[in-house]
Amino acid sequence: MGVQLVGLTLNFLFLAGFAVFAHLPVPAVALMTGIGLVGVALNPAVVTRVQRTGNARPLVNTVHSSFITLGVIMGSSGGGLAINLFGLRGPLWLGAALAAIGVGTLVPDLLRRSPAAPASVAPVTGHPEPAMSAASEPKAVCAARS
């Protein structure tokens, strides 16, 4: 979660910064490099989140890959529309808006994991091991305690 939150926030800042400073060569190159580095670092974090949520079943991975492809198609189409409506910086602002929406999708999980959250709300990290009672312990363990 932390990698995604930091990555999406940095992605927002790099995209918005690039949109503002695209006319200056040095900041533009630095910001474009940041966009590329953050994007590459976010891929494993997103895949890990999807696999943990879906328990790493094959269908989950297949659907996830399909949605990545759908995202590329929709992002390219949206970027083209943004160029037509707002010029060459339009896709940068669209990307910044999508990064902000991405941060918004993390909020429910972050609230669930925050220390201020009620104790009854457990983080979604997998299936916790059930507590063992004396009745469910192996007989060798019970005999050793006697």
Side-chain angles (χ1 to χ4, degrees):
M1 278 311 211
V3 170
Q4 290 179 9
L5 180 63
V6 170
L8 287 169
T9 302
L10 285 173
N11 206 12
F12 170 81
L13 294 173
F14 287 141
L15 286 162
F18 189 22
V20 172
F21 297 110
H23 63 285
L24 301 171
V26 173
V29 170
L31 292 164
M32 188 174 15
T33 303
I35 292 167
L37 292 174
V38 169
V40 168
L42 277 175
N43 287 333
V46 171
V47 169
T48 300
R49 183 177 184 203
V50 168
Q51 288 181 342
R52 284 184 179 167
T53 302
N55 298 321
R57 294 191 176 107
L59 182 59
V60 171
N61 292 330
T62 302
V63 171
H64 179 243
S65 298
S66 298
F67 271 90
I68 289 172
T69 303
L70 180 63
V72 169
I73 293 167
M74 291 175 62
S76 299
S77 299
L81 288 173
I83 289 172
N84 286 338
L85 296 173
F86 305 107
L88 291 176
R89 294 182 189 189
L92 298 170
W93 289 116
L94 175 62
L98 290 173
I101 291 169
V103 169
T105 66
L106 298 177
V107 170
D109 283 341
L110 292 171
L111 290 176
R112 211 173 320 159
R113 294 169 189 258
S114 75
S120 62
V121 179
V124 182
T125 58
H127 301 288
E129 293 295 323
M132 291 184 74
S133 66
S136 65
E137 288 182 334
K139 290 186 182 191
V141 173
C142 290
R145 287 191 179 174
S146 306

